């Protein structure tokens, strides 16, 4: 699926719903939410349906391979990826997993996590991994594009960007709210948008883009000093308290524009160790690594069924 096709599909997005909140498990589980299903009605398209559930377009496409994103057949039953394994990092503040194009906000004192689709840096202007904090909350941010951004925009579109766009302007791509990150020279932001496309895609100049309703909600909840982790976990895996082994595989980020071949999947040592355990169904593991559906799947169901049958005899 090319950027151009995704861009056209996203032009049809309507206004977004707000947040997907989930209670945090109290038994040590990392699995939150539940998969939902949606039967396509004539005239609906995936960008519109994803917006209804506040999930990104690419995430919805991954979960439903082979479905035409702008002309899905009426009656098709779609899997909505509203279940996830929490990333394997400290569950506090904001956690952004680039591979998922998702932002996790662990709301203090509520025992809830809120999951949002995001846009991230495009190829050549990748959003870096980082451990940082919120350094400033900026309502009605003004936008001053750098010389590099202006030159890149001119080359790609033929349009000349102004040296500065005032806060609150309908032409301001930062939207109405921005959270400045302390990382580097402070040029990276989590911000809104004035556009009706780009959420759940790699389209920004390196910043993290959110739906207007989402950034407005989270802007009111975070404070200066809120921790922010930006990671790139393509494969998440967890041994659940009940013994289930769960894996969630996302498509690796490509390194070059137009790449049809994904980057090699990288495993953390912890994930590699889990996937080497004796009860893993190796055939299913291979299938999941190839399919990259972006939804949690159980890997050891056959082993547990065999154990139950053995005990029954």
């Amino acid at each position: 699926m090319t950027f151009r096709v995704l861009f056209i599909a996203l032009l049809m997005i309507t206004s977004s719903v707000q947040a997907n909140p989930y209670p945090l498990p109290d038994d040590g589980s990392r699995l939150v939410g539940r998969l939902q299903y949606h039967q396509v009605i004539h005239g609906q398209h995936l960008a519109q349906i994803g917006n209804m559930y506040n999930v990104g377009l690419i995430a919805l496409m991954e979960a439903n391979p082979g479905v035409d994103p702008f002309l899905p057949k009426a009656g098709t039953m779609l899997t909505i990826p509203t279940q996830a394994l929490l990333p394997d990092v400290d569950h506090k503040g904001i956690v952004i997993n680039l591979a998922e194009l998702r932002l996790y906000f662990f709301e203090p004192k509520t025992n809830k996590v809120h999951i949002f689709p995001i846009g991230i840096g495009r190829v050549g202007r990748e959003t870096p991994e980082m451990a940082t904090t919120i350094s400033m909350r900026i309502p009605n941010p003004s936008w001053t594009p750098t010389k590099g951004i202006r030159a890149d925009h001119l080359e790609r579109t033929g349009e000349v960007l102004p040296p500065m766009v005032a806060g609150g302007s309908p032409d301001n791509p930062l939207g109405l709210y921005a959270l400045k990150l302390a990382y580097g020279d402070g040029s990276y932001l989590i911000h809104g948008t004035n556009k009706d496309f780009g959420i759940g895609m790699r389209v920004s100049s390196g910043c993290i883009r959110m739906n207007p309703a989402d950034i407005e909600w989270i802007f009111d909840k975070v404070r200066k000093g809120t921790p922010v982790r930006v990671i790139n976990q393509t494969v998440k895996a967890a041994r659940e308290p009940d013994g289930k082994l769960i894996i969630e595989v996302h498509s690796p980020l490509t390194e070059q524009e137009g790449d049809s071949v994904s980057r090699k999947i990288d495993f953390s040592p912890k994930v590699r160790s889990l996937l080497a355990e004796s009860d893993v169904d190796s055939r299913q593991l291979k299938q999941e690594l190839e399919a990259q559906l972006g939804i949690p799947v159980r890997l050891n169901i056959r082993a547990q069924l065999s154990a139950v049958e053995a005990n029954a005899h």
Side-chain angles (χ1 to χ4, degrees):
M1 183 54 57
T2 65
F3 173 81
R4 182 179 179 184
V5 169
L6 292 173
F7 179 88
I8 293 171
L10 279 162
L11 288 177
M12 300 182 284
I13 289 182
T14 57
S15 60
S16 173
V17 297
Q18 178 183 308
N20 282 325
Y22 305 104
L24 289 171
D26 56 11
D27 60 357
S29 170
R30 284 172 46 205
L31 189 65
V32 298
R34 60 181 179 85
L35 294 178
Q36 299 183 68
Y37 301 91
H38 179 96
Q39 189 169 25
V40 177
I41 299 172
H42 179 73
Q44 288 185 323
H45 47 79
L46 293 200
Q48 178 188 41
I49 295 167
N51 196 65
M52 291 168 59
Y53 295 91
N54 208 15
V55 299
L57 176 61
I58 290 179
L60 189 57
M61 292 172 63
E62 280 185 347
N64 298 277
V67 175
D68 190 313
F70 36 67
L71 287 174
K73 184 178 179 181
T76 299
M77 190 65 71
L78 300 177
T79 298
I80 308 298
T82 47
Q83 186 179 52
L85 277 178
L86 297 176
D88 190 19
V89 294
D90 289 342
H91 296 158
K92 60 181 181 180
I94 291 172
V95 175
I96 293 165
N97 190 1
L98 301 173
E100 295 181 68
L101 292 118
R102 284 179 182 149
L103 181 152
Y104 295 80
F105 174 56
F106 296 90
E107 188 177 5
K109 302 179 181 179
T110 67
N111 202 41
K112 290 182 180 178
V113 60
H114 301 258
I115 304 178
F116 303 92
I118 56 170
I120 63 173
R122 64 183 179 273
V123 175
R125 291 189 176 271
E126 290 86 355
T127 305
E129 297 179 56
M130 65 181 85
T132 186
T133 61
I134 300 295
S135 64
M136 189 180 299
R137 301 165 68 251
I138 312 172
N140 292 317
S142 61
W143 182 51
T144 305
T146 64
K147 290 182 179 180
I149 289 176
R150 294 177 68 192
D152 179 66
H153 186 82
L154 178 62
E155 181 180 350
R156 289 188 300 109
T157 69
E159 298 175 354
V160 177
L161 288 175
M164 193 274 286
V165 179
S169 167
D171 296 324
N172 190 324
L174 302 184
L176 299 179
Y177 302 92
L179 300 168
K180 179 181 283 191
L181 303 182
Y183 176 84
D185 62 1
S187 60
Y188 289 99
L189 306 171
I190 301 172
H191 63 80
T193 180
N194 66 335
K195 304 180 186 300
D196 56 0
F197 65 91
I199 305 302
M201 294 176 59
R202 299 181 68 188
V203 293
S204 81
S205 295
C207 290
I208 294 95
R209 182 184 298 181
M210 300 183 72
N211 280 315
D214 293 343
I215 186 65
E216 181 178 5
W217 183 90
I218 202 171
F219 186 87
D220 188 51
K221 300 295 188 295
V222 303
R223 294 292 179 264
K224 180 179 178 180
T226 296
V228 178
R229 282 288 305 272
V230 180
I231 60 176
N232 185 19
Q233 291 182 1
T234 302
V235 179
K236 297 182 292 181
R239 175 73 69 176
E240 291 292 283
D242 60 3
K244 294 175 183 175
L245 184 58
I246 309 294
I247 190 173
E248 180 181 325
V249 184
H250 294 267
S251 298
L253 302 178
T254 55
E255 295 181 305
Q256 299 180 25
E257 197 72 54
D259 265 359
S260 58
V261 179
S262 295
R263 294 172 58 185
K264 180 181 177 181
I265 293 178
D266 292 323
F267 302 93
S268 71
K270 187 173 180 179
V271 168
R272 189 178 298 277
S273 178
L274 276 173
L275 298 182
E277 293 187 4
S278 60
D279 60 341
V280 170
D281 185 327
S282 59
R283 287 177 296 177
Q284 187 180 9
L285 172 59
K286 183 175 184 293
Q287 291 173 359
E288 298 305 325
L289 292 175
E290 291 175 350
Q292 301 172 6
L293 298 178
I295 57 177
V297 176
R298 184 176 173 186
L299 283 182
N300 65 336
I301 187 169
R302 291 182 184 176
Q304 288 203 335
L305 286 175
S306 296
V308 169
E309 291 173 355
N311 290 333
H313 296 293

